[in-house]
């Protein structure tokens, strides 16, 4: 079949552009695959407990309560761990975890374990284990908005 030179040049140019696009998209695709793979894995945090480093599943955390420069991490199964981290350190670690919310200056709660909450003043959150915490006035609107998003 006879080939027209301009058609051949156009086809070669298109092929080069497509090859470049695929080469440019490869890192994006790899990054997306890593992100998807990370969402499949259970996210865990390291905690130093009695001279050992223990990895705790984030989804097992019911709530974290501050105690000066320490924090008590309460886990599913009535387990309590004292960790030498402040709540702000935990808050930074959980920046991408939407179900852990800081409700006041001394408590972070897992929304998956919230049994109920009262909207009136004072705004109280009740966990499934019966523990109750007051939401600070400054955080009330943010917490209620996140709860509505999480529970809807």
């Amino acid at each position: 079949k006879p080939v027209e030179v301009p058609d051949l040049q156009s086809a070669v140019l298109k092929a080069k552009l497509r090859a470049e696009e695929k080469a440019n998209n490869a890192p994006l695709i790899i990054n997306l695959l890593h992100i998807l793979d990370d969402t499949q894995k259970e996210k865990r945090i390291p905690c130093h407990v009695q001279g050992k480093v223990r990895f705790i599943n984030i989804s097992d955390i019911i709530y974290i309560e501050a105690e000066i420069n320490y924090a008590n991490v309460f886990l599913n199964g009535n387990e309590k761990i004292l960790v030498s981290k402040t709540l702000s350190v935990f808050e930074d670690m959980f920046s991408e975890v939407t179900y852990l919310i800081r409700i006041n200056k001394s408590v972070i709660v897992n929304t998956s374990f919230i049994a109920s909450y009262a909207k009136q003043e004072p705004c109280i959150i009740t966990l499934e284990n019966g523990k109750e915490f007051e939401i600070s006035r400054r955080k009330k609107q943010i917490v209620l908005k996140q709860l509505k998003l999480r529970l809807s």
Side-chain angles (χ1 to χ4, degrees), residues 43-48 52-58 60:
K43 299 216 182 292
R44 301 178 348 158
I45 58 167
C47 291
H48 297 272
K52 296 180 183 177
V53 177
R54 180 170 170 195
F55 293 96
I56 299 171
N57 291 336
I58 294 176
D60 288 342

Side-chain angles (χ1 to χ4, degrees), residues 110-117 125-131 151:
N110 184 338
T111 58
S112 303
F113 292 97
I114 294 176
S116 65
Y117 65 92
I125 283 183
T126 306
L127 300 178
E128 290 174 356
N129 63 2
K131 189 76 173 166
L151 301 174

Side-chain angles (χ1 to χ4, degrees), residues 38-95:
D38 286 346
T39 59
Q40 300 299 322
K41 294 178 185 174
E42 181 73 35
K43 299 216 182 292
R44 301 178 348 158
I45 58 167
C47 291
H48 297 272
V49 180
Q50 297 174 348
K52 296 180 183 177
V53 177
R54 180 170 170 195
F55 293 96
I56 299 171
N57 291 336
I58 294 176
S59 61
D60 288 342
I61 297 172
I62 299 173
Y63 67 97
I64 303 170
E65 194 167 28
E67 192 175 298
I68 307 172
N69 285 331
Y70 294 90
N72 286 308
V73 180
F74 293 85
L75 303 175
N76 203 1
N78 295 328
E79 189 175 359
K80 175 183 165 185
I81 299 172
L82 181 66
V83 181
S84 62
K85 293 180 182 174
T86 62
L87 278 191
S88 58
V89 171
F90 280 111
E91 202 171 22
D92 292 340
M93 288 190 331
F94 302 146
S95 63

